[in-house]
Amino acid sequence: GQQVMQIPQYQHVQEGEDFTTYCNSSTTLSNIQWYKQRPGGHPVFLIQLVKSGEVKKQKRLTFQFGEAKKNSSLHITATQTTDVGTYFCAGPFSEYGNKLVFGAGTILRVKS
Amino acid sequence: NADVMQNPRHLVRRRGQEARLRCSPMKGHSHVYWYRQLPEEGLKFMVYLQKENIIDESGMPKERFSAEFPKEGPSILRIQQVVRGDSAAYFCASSPLAGSPYEQYFGPGTRLTVT
């Protein structure tokens, strides 16, 4: 079936340390999206990657899409307490790309 | 309000009762998606609707669950004869156009608790 696997499940870091979460799809994706969900909140769209090998940056966040368009990563440099939350990757798995299949997410906790 | 609206934000139902969850998409969006999230888990796709049409309901349980998006008014996710296993957060999302690469905008969710 359609699967998006994400690791690690949890990550506790000291404030200022870096953080990376990895996402792997069972099939080639037309694009991959990343969302952040704060505790008790709702998913908020961060970014979408479309091209093979694409790298995008948002301040301290760096997103990569693999050459084969089956894997992706999110790297946060020098984490801050505001980075706390769950980071999800999601890929479209339908003819029209509307059915997003989400990874299980990586829960990030930052100790100050 | 330009955001995706969901109500109620919290809903408590006894086993066997019905739950009705409402979602008003972002202004200008005509595509609505429903997802379910169990504690400490990711979001599971349930159904994708356009006005008056169900486009993809591959994630919907076959029994007790139904969804609609009428010509006028919000989208409704209806759960009949709720059971404890239905306790979860239900999120709806909307997008302006179908297909990749359009991102989805999520509402605040409805937290359903079945007692």
Side-chain angles (χ1 to χ4, degrees):
Chain A
Q2 303 150 354
Q3 283 192 318
V4 177
M5 291 150 288
Q6 207 174 336
I7 57 169
Q9 188 176 4
Y10 300 96
Q11 186 87 57
H12 290 209
V13 300
Q14 194 71 36
E15 189 173 20
E17 291 181 340
D18 292 356
F19 159 78
T20 305
T21 173
Y22 300 90
C23 183
N24 285 286
S25 167
S26 56
T27 60
T28 301
L29 298 170
S30 59
N31 70 83
I32 194 156
Q33 302 177 20
W34 285 91
Y35 293 79
K36 177 184 178 181
Q37 185 176 23
R38 293 183 185 276
H42 61 279
V44 174
F45 175 81
L46 293 177
I47 207 161
Q48 181 168 245
L49 303 169
V50 179
K51 298 176 184 176
S52 169
E54 188 170 15
V55 178
K56 285 189 176 180
K57 291 191 175 185
Q58 289 179 351
K59 298 183 180 177
R60 295 177 294 104
L61 277 62
T62 301
F63 303 84
Q64 290 188 315
F65 200 10
E67 294 290 340
K69 301 184 76 173
K70 294 180 71 173
N71 61 293
S72 181
S73 65
L74 158 59
H75 180 82
I76 302 179
T77 304
T79 55
Q80 300 175 359
T81 54
T82 53
D83 295 326
V84 163
T86 303
Y87 293 85
F88 294 100
C89 60
F93 283 93
S94 73
E95 180 182 349
Y96 301 104
N98 299 98
K99 176 183 174 180
L100 283 180
V101 175
F102 280 78
T106 296
I107 299 171
L108 173 63
R109 294 287 179 258
V110 179
K111 295 177 286 187
S112 59
Chain B
N1 191 324
D3 295 336
V4 178
M5 305 292 288
Q6 284 188 255
N7 67 81
R9 296 289 300 275
H10 299 274
L11 182 62
V12 180
R13 284 287 177 265
R14 291 200 180 113
R15 279 178 297 171
Q17 290 185 319
E18 178 180 288
R20 281 194 177 223
L21 288 60
R22 295 173 187 79
C23 170
S24 296
M26 195 174 282
K27 189 176 181 180
H29 289 190
S30 57
H31 302 263
V32 167
Y33 319 85
W34 286 93
Y35 295 87
R36 177 164 63 178
Q37 185 177 38
L38 295 170
E40 304 289 313
E41 292 190 12
L43 295 101
K44 304 293 185 199
F45 169 84
M46 298 181 75
V47 63
Y48 159 45
L49 309 106
Q50 294 178 23
K51 286 284 186 182
E52 300 183 280
N53 283 306
I54 297 174
I55 307 302
D56 183 344
E57 56 181 346
S58 57
M60 282 276 267
K62 292 288 185 280
E63 297 177 349
R64 303 188 298 107
F65 285 72
S66 62
E68 62 176 7
F69 190 13
K71 188 176 179 181
E72 302 290 338
S75 174
I76 306 286
L77 179 67
R78 182 181 177 207
I79 312 173
Q80 294 178 292
Q81 299 173 337
V82 295
V83 300
R84 289 230 172 99
D86 296 332
S87 295
Y90 292 83
F91 291 96
C92 83
S94 71
S95 69
L97 289 168
S100 287
Y102 300 102
E103 66 267 24
Q104 298 180 8
Y105 297 85
F106 282 80
T110 294
R111 270 78 177 172
L112 172 65
T113 302
V114 179
T115 61

